[in-house]
Amino acid sequence: MSPREEQDTVHPHQPAYSDEPTRVRQLVSEFLTDQSGTSLGGDGLEVRLTAGADARDDCAVYDLSSPMSLVVGSDYVRGPKFVLYELGLLSGFDIGYYLAVANISDIAAMGATPIGLLSVVRYPHEVDDAEFREVMAGIHQGCTDCGTLNVGGDIGNAERIILSATAFGVCKPGSALMRSGARPGDLLCVTGPCGLLGAAVAYFPRRDTFAKALPEEVERRLLDGWKRPRARVAEGRVLGTKSYATACQDTSDGLKATVEQIMQASGVGFRVYEDDVPVDPAVAMVADLMGAEPLALAMSASSDFQLAFTIDAGDLEKCRAEFDLAGLDFFVVGEATNTGRAESVNGLGAVRPLPGVAWKHQKSDISLLVTDPVED
């Protein structure tokens, strides 16, 4: 019988608070078994996890048997201002899942195949074994859904729950997608609607102040964006392995910020065609409650994990065919220019700066950011 089963038997209705070594043993036995010897990678890249977390060593060990580029990204995603968790709308499982996907999304944006995640989980003493297990289960499931493994990391005490991670991926040498390759005339594309997660944190903290609440199914749609986000690994691999994308980035800071960052890295401008930007109906409904422009909310600060990318106009049909073959989709929303400015144009031809508020790591919580109001 495992330590956890013994605790549940002796105190079936009481929370259990194990020490760190006990939690590590439970973690290894429940979530991190049978890793060593796993074959990872893809597209002819030979990667073998020689020693995973189940080996209980200080580090994971990979054997890389072919020339490849190693892609590494790290994100700290959970501190005192994860507002929907503080409101009780997200569980420990949800924030663990989000941690995994947030980090793996950066690997996807580089066109790489994820081969592992190292996670850091710090927690206060009042977190019992069940809540701790929830977080670890979420990280495990997030990795599993992205086709990779949580290969270890660090756990221990802190003043509150703190989550951070580092994701690893591989790709063929020279094939990693950068932000800096867009050229004037390239088409600007996005893999799906943006703004859903930002709309959720704009809505739920202020729900009681609006004249009416949204329908239950719309609220569920908003929360699902946080509970089960998706890293666009498959889309990134199509763009990277087929060399279609000239530049690429995920939209974890919001679509406006992403367009501006690709623009600055590439030394180009962008013109976005407002009628072509997909807007989720749930985002439009939140915008209506806020008295905001739907497009502005859709492009504003939001932790979405769509991919924004540029492609040569001559590659559009071939890229579309590859996406269709994989059951994937994307939207052409604009084009790169030589103006050095990011602007949008409506159906009447009126040009303006990109609408919305870009996330730039402001001191305030994202839920306090306001979007451009609707003009009379």
Side-chain angles (χ1 to χ4, degrees):
M1 182 177 292
S2 70
R4 182 169 177 268
E5 289 172 331
E6 290 177 358
Q7 291 163 352
D8 289 346
T9 301
V10 176
H11 303 290
H13 303 297
Q14 297 296 323
Y17 297 88
S18 299
D19 56 28
E20 184 178 326
T22 302
R23 286 185 171 177
V24 170
R25 286 196 302 272
Q26 294 171 357
L27 167 64
V28 170
S29 65
E30 188 166 3
F31 296 118
L32 306 183
T33 58
D34 301 323
Q35 292 188 352
S36 298
T38 302
S39 294
L40 300 162
D43 306 316
L45 303 177
E46 299 176 18
V47 180
R48 185 179 181 85
L49 181 60
T50 308
D54 53 342
R56 306 193 190 189
D57 266 304
D58 288 333
C59 297
V61 179
Y62 291 90
D63 284 342
L64 310 178
S65 302
S66 55
M68 64 188 73
S69 295
L70 179 65
V71 180
V72 183
S74 184
D75 254 337
Y76 162 77
V77 303
R78 167 73 179 109
K81 293 297 183 182
F82 210 134
V83 64
L84 298 185
Y85 177 79
E86 302 290 350
L87 291 174
L89 296 171
L90 301 178
S91 68
F93 184 99
D94 297 331
I95 61 174
Y97 193 100
Y98 182 93
L99 172 70
V101 171
N103 280 273
I104 295 169
S105 177
D106 286 336
I107 302 301
M110 303 295 290
T113 299
I115 62 170
L117 182 86
L118 291 171
S119 59
V120 176
V121 179
R122 292 281 173 168
Y123 53 87
H125 289 290
E126 57 266 25
V127 170
D128 65 19
D129 288 3
E131 186 175 354
F132 172 78
R133 180 187 178 279
E134 264 203 348
V135 175
M136 300 310 305
I139 295 172
H140 172 77
Q141 191 62 53
C143 288
T144 299
D145 290 352
C146 291
T148 192
L149 300 168
N150 178 17
V151 297
D154 175 64
I155 68 169
N157 291 121
E159 70 280 1
R160 62 191 308 136
I161 292 180
I162 297 172
L163 301 179
S164 183
T166 299
F168 300 84
V170 293
C171 62
K172 293 181 179 178
S175 69
L177 304 178
M178 307 294 187
R179 302 177 181 181
S180 55
R183 300 159 300 197
D186 284 352
L187 300 178
L188 175 64
C189 310
V190 65
T191 54
C194 299
L196 193 67
L197 283 78
V201 293
Y203 169 73
F204 284 105
R206 301 168 53 195
R207 176 168 48 181
D208 294 340
T209 69
F210 294 124
K212 60 179 180 179
L214 293 174
E216 183 178 344
E217 63 273 15
V218 177
E219 291 190 346
R220 188 181 307 114
R221 166 78 175 150
L222 292 171
L223 286 177
D224 282 350
W226 282 97
K227 291 182 175 184
R228 298 298 177 270
R230 184 165 74 85
R232 307 288 164 169
V233 175
E235 290 90 335
R237 289 185 63 183
V238 170
L239 294 172
T241 58
K242 301 296 182 179
S243 301
Y244 289 129
T246 55
C248 187
Q249 183 180 337
D250 78 355
T251 62
S252 56
D253 288 336
L255 183 56
K256 177 176 180 175
T258 300
V259 171
E260 292 175 345
Q261 289 161 12
I262 294 176
M263 176 187 74
Q264 292 163 3
S266 296
V268 298
F270 278 109
R271 174 165 286 195
V272 173
Y273 297 101
E274 297 181 5
D275 291 346
D276 294 332
V277 178
V279 178
D280 192 288
V283 174
M285 294 177 74
V286 173
D288 182 60
L289 290 178
M290 296 173 61
E293 178 186 359
L295 180 65
L297 184 57
M299 297 192 68
S300 286
S302 183
S303 301
D304 302 291
F305 301 117
Q306 302 289 351
L307 297 184
F309 60 95
T310 55
I311 58 173
D312 185 287
D315 289 334
L316 177 60
E317 291 187 11
K318 292 183 292 185
C319 185
R320 178 78 71 190
E322 289 287 347
F323 268 65
D324 288 343
L325 188 63
L328 306 171
D329 196 10
F330 66 87
F331 300 83
V332 179
V333 298
E335 62 182 331
T337 68
N338 58 10
T339 64
R341 299 188 302 273
E343 54 194 13
S344 67
V345 57
N346 64 19
L348 299 176
V351 178
R352 59 172 174 165
L354 289 184
V357 176
W359 176 244
K360 297 180 180 178
H361 300 282
Q362 292 93 335
K363 291 182 179 180
S364 62
D365 183 74
I366 188 173
S367 66
L368 302 178
L369 295 174
V370 294
T371 55
D372 296 341
V374 176
E375 297 180 356
D376 294 333

